[in-house]
Amino acid sequence: MSACVDQELLLGGLIDGELDAANTALVEAHVARCEGCREELDRLQAVRNLLRADGVRHSAPETLKQRIAELPELSPRAGKRQMLPGWLAPGLAGALAASLAMVLFVPVSDPSGIDQQLVSSHVRSLQPGHLTDVQTTNQHIVKPWFNGKIDFAPPVPELADKGFPLAGGRLDSIDGRTVAAIVYHRRLHTVNLFVWPSKPVSERTSVEDGFELAEWSDGGLRFAAVSDIPPQELQQFERAFRAQAAASQR
């Protein structure tokens, strides 16, 4: 059985300890339910152990290490040598100072940290028993479930015919307020759609800790979809959700 194409690089990163905490939790949760990826992870671990065995990895002889250490290019004095003509150095220093000033004083966007909160909530929801407070594929159960629990009514369209079956909903917390989290599936993957009242924000897509995010506003609500599916599929989800939500309001 083959591993999932979109997980192959992550499996290698997991073996090598190169993933952050969020991606580690996600990959481990995926491996726990995917036989193909579990077999690939075992194979990668076996190869890694084999390469670490005595007689397989080649160690450089001490004489070669000593010769490398004695190279003039590695001498501490090498970095101190004048590499530019004297007449050019002052001009270059001035240009460098001007460039640094531009870097220091050009306004840089300061993210509010909401994207990181969204990803953290998405990863936390993937732990057993955390994904939904109400588990059902029936939109007529999920939508009224939010009544009385939050002070707004999020749209809950059914998207099974678009490849994103409804899984349920739950309450979550983003930026210090309670939000609605509507859960959809995409094959073996999860799409968390967070919804809360907000002034309009610019539509955008981004990547945070390896997760795809799509954000938009509509009807006084802010929507943020988070998943590990390919970006074009998350955009497909956004288009399907917005179209179905608009149709239900007519």
Side-chain angles (χ1 to χ4, degrees), residues 87-161:
W87 61 270
L88 182 59
L92 182 60
L96 179 59
S99 299
L100 289 175
M102 292 180 65
V103 171
L104 291 174
F105 292 103
V106 170
V108 177
S109 60
D110 180 20
S112 64
I114 288 183
D115 285 0
Q116 183 59 58
Q117 294 180 49
L118 291 168
V119 169
S120 297
S121 294
H122 173 77
V123 173
R124 186 168 58 250
S125 75
L126 300 178
Q127 303 304 313
H130 290 74
L131 187 59
T132 56
D133 293 331
V134 53
Q135 183 177 357
T136 177
T137 60
N138 190 334
Q139 67 186 113
H140 300 295
I141 294 178
V142 177
K143 185 174 177 62
W145 180 85
F146 287 111
N147 292 344
K149 299 178 177 67
I150 49 179
D151 56 358
F152 60 96
V156 187
E158 174 53 64
L159 304 176
D161 60 338

Side-chain angles (χ1 to χ4, degrees), residues 9 33 77 82-83 85 97 109 130 140 160 166 186 192 200 211 215 241 250:
L9 291 177
R33 62 178 185 268
R77 293 187 298 274
Q82 181 72 27
M83 302 301 294
S109 60
H130 290 74
H140 300 295
L166 180 66
R186 177 66 165 177
N192 269 298
F211 293 90
E215 299 183 50
F241 182 94
R250 294 172 185 167

